[in-house]
Amino acid sequence: MIQTIITHKCSRCGSTNIVKNGHNKSGSQQYYCKDCHAHRVLEPKRKHTSDTKEKVLKVYKERASLRGLERVFHVSRTTILSWLRERAQQLPTLQETLLPVQGDDVLELDEMWSFVFKKDNKRWIWTAISRKTRQIVAFVIGDRSVKTCRRLWQRLPAEYRELHSFSDFWEAYKKVFPKETHRSVGKETGETAHMERWYNTLRQRLARFVRKTLSFSKSEVYHHIVLKWFITEYNLERRHALASLTT
Ligand SMILES: [Zn+2]
């Protein structure tokens, strides 16, 4: 028989004169130190390394499910979601990812529905793409109303608002975008082709990702985080691709 005996010491004063003293909220054994009167957790949970964190977030973006990640990396879903929120806060603003506007550029506008948690809980993703750079200039998630369309307009950087824009015949655009520069067109004109193609990419790369995320998180916050993360990286990739073309 092999037995290992561990002697626990107080993490504050190093004394071995300690006794068990209940459990904390997350169920960890606590001790009480008779020498320095500390109440602490006996074996603090090991913190995950930043290496693990980067790996988990990377694999998550490759559409792994949270449950899968939890099993493989032994990181709780709660922790993964907190890393996601943290990562979202570190992302640059969309405007910071944009290339300077080019005077003869054109915006293509479109809206696509996605759902949060249940199919009848529809959320529309509205986007404006630059025809020249293919960057997403602004996006918004909401219903299909004029109000949401106005939020899209408000998120356009001022210099991009000057551009001509094309959208489908949805009424909201006509009420929000200036008559002088906006035109509603049918798909057959090809004027919104880039935007439509981008949505195809989004569906392929993000659909499963988003649905899996929502199947457990049931949260609109993560819907927004994941989309913003995707668009930010997409814009940075575009900027990188265009920069290497001109050098
Ligand atoms: Zn102590």
Side-chain angles (χ1 to χ4, degrees):
M1 183 163 74
I2 300 176
Q3 265 186 317
T4 310
I5 296 169
I6 303 168
T7 308
H8 292 285
K9 287 180 185 164
C10 173
S11 61
R12 188 205 262 170
C13 73
S15 166
T16 52
N17 192 15
I18 61 177
V19 289
K20 285 185 179 176
N21 188 240
H23 295 82
N24 69 5
K25 268 189 200 157
S26 51
S28 304
Q29 178 69 56
Q30 291 185 299
Y31 72 83
Y32 168 66
C33 174
K34 290 181 173 174
D35 287 335
C36 78
H37 310 293
H39 290 271
R40 292 195 172 177
V41 174
L42 197 57
E43 291 174 285
K45 278 188 190 132
R46 258 200 23 247
K47 283 244 163 74
H48 299 290
T49 63
S50 57
D51 187 51
T52 307
K53 187 198 229 171
E54 289 313 312
K55 255 183 221 151
V56 167
L57 288 174
K58 198 172 164 201
V59 179
Y60 178 69
K61 264 197 310 189
E62 297 299 323
R63 309 183 194 131
S65 71
L66 280 190
R67 278 173 202 284
L69 290 169
E70 195 172 40
R71 279 193 297 267
V72 174
F73 291 97
H74 305 289
V75 179
S76 75
R77 275 176 278 171
T78 318
T79 303
I80 299 173
L81 290 175
S82 75
W83 288 347
L84 256 182
R85 284 197 305 273
E86 181 194 276
R87 183 50 47 93
Q89 280 166 3
Q90 293 163 348
L91 289 175
T93 65
L94 208 55
Q95 195 159 348
E96 285 168 332
T97 68
L98 295 177
L99 289 157
V101 69
Q102 298 174 46
D104 55 345
D105 200 356
V106 167
L107 292 178
E108 299 181 16
L109 316 166
D110 206 358
E111 74 287 354
M112 176 189 93
W113 74 266
S114 64
F115 60 89
V116 173
F117 187 36
K118 287 184 300 189
K119 282 220 172 176
D120 55 2
N121 193 5
K122 277 189 187 179
R123 285 293 176 276
W124 292 84
I125 299 171
W126 299 65
T127 44
I129 196 172
S130 147
R131 188 178 287 175
K132 286 236 154 164
T133 66
R134 314 277 161 79
Q135 286 191 309
I136 300 299
V137 179
F139 81 95
V140 61
I141 305 176
D143 58 17
R144 216 184 174 194
S145 69
V146 173
K147 210 172 135 193
T148 309
C149 186
R150 190 160 291 125
R151 278 169 55 216
L152 179 71
W153 168 257
Q154 282 159 353
R155 287 194 187 171
L156 287 174
E159 68 265 31
Y160 276 91
R161 287 190 199 154
E162 308 285 319
L163 298 176
H164 282 261
S165 61
F166 291 98
S167 73
D168 58 26
F169 291 99
W170 187 243
E171 279 298 312
Y173 292 110
K174 288 183 206 164
K175 290 182 178 145
V176 173
F177 283 74
K179 270 192 219 54
E180 303 74 38
T181 49
H182 176 257
R183 266 182 57 205
S184 302
V185 292
K187 279 192 180 12
E188 70 289 349
T189 62
E191 300 284 14
T192 55
H194 297 101
M195 194 68 268
E196 285 156 35
R197 215 172 299 147
W198 186 82
Y199 274 119
N200 283 335
T201 313
L202 181 74
R203 279 195 196 91
Q204 282 166 13
R205 284 178 53 184
L206 204 66
R208 282 202 280 159
F209 189 35
V210 166
R211 275 158 215 191
K212 270 188 183 166
T213 309
L214 299 172
S215 60
F216 54 79
S217 83
K218 298 163 187 154
S219 154
E220 311 208 10
V221 176
Y222 294 106
H223 202 58
H224 189 267
I225 286 176
V226 169
L227 186 64
K228 178 165 184 218
W229 190 11
F230 179 85
I231 291 178
T232 303
E233 296 214 331
Y234 169 83
N235 274 1
L236 293 174
E237 274 166 34
R238 286 303 305 160
R239 191 161 82 182
H240 188 73
L242 290 164
S244 58
L245 278 180
T246 52
T247 50

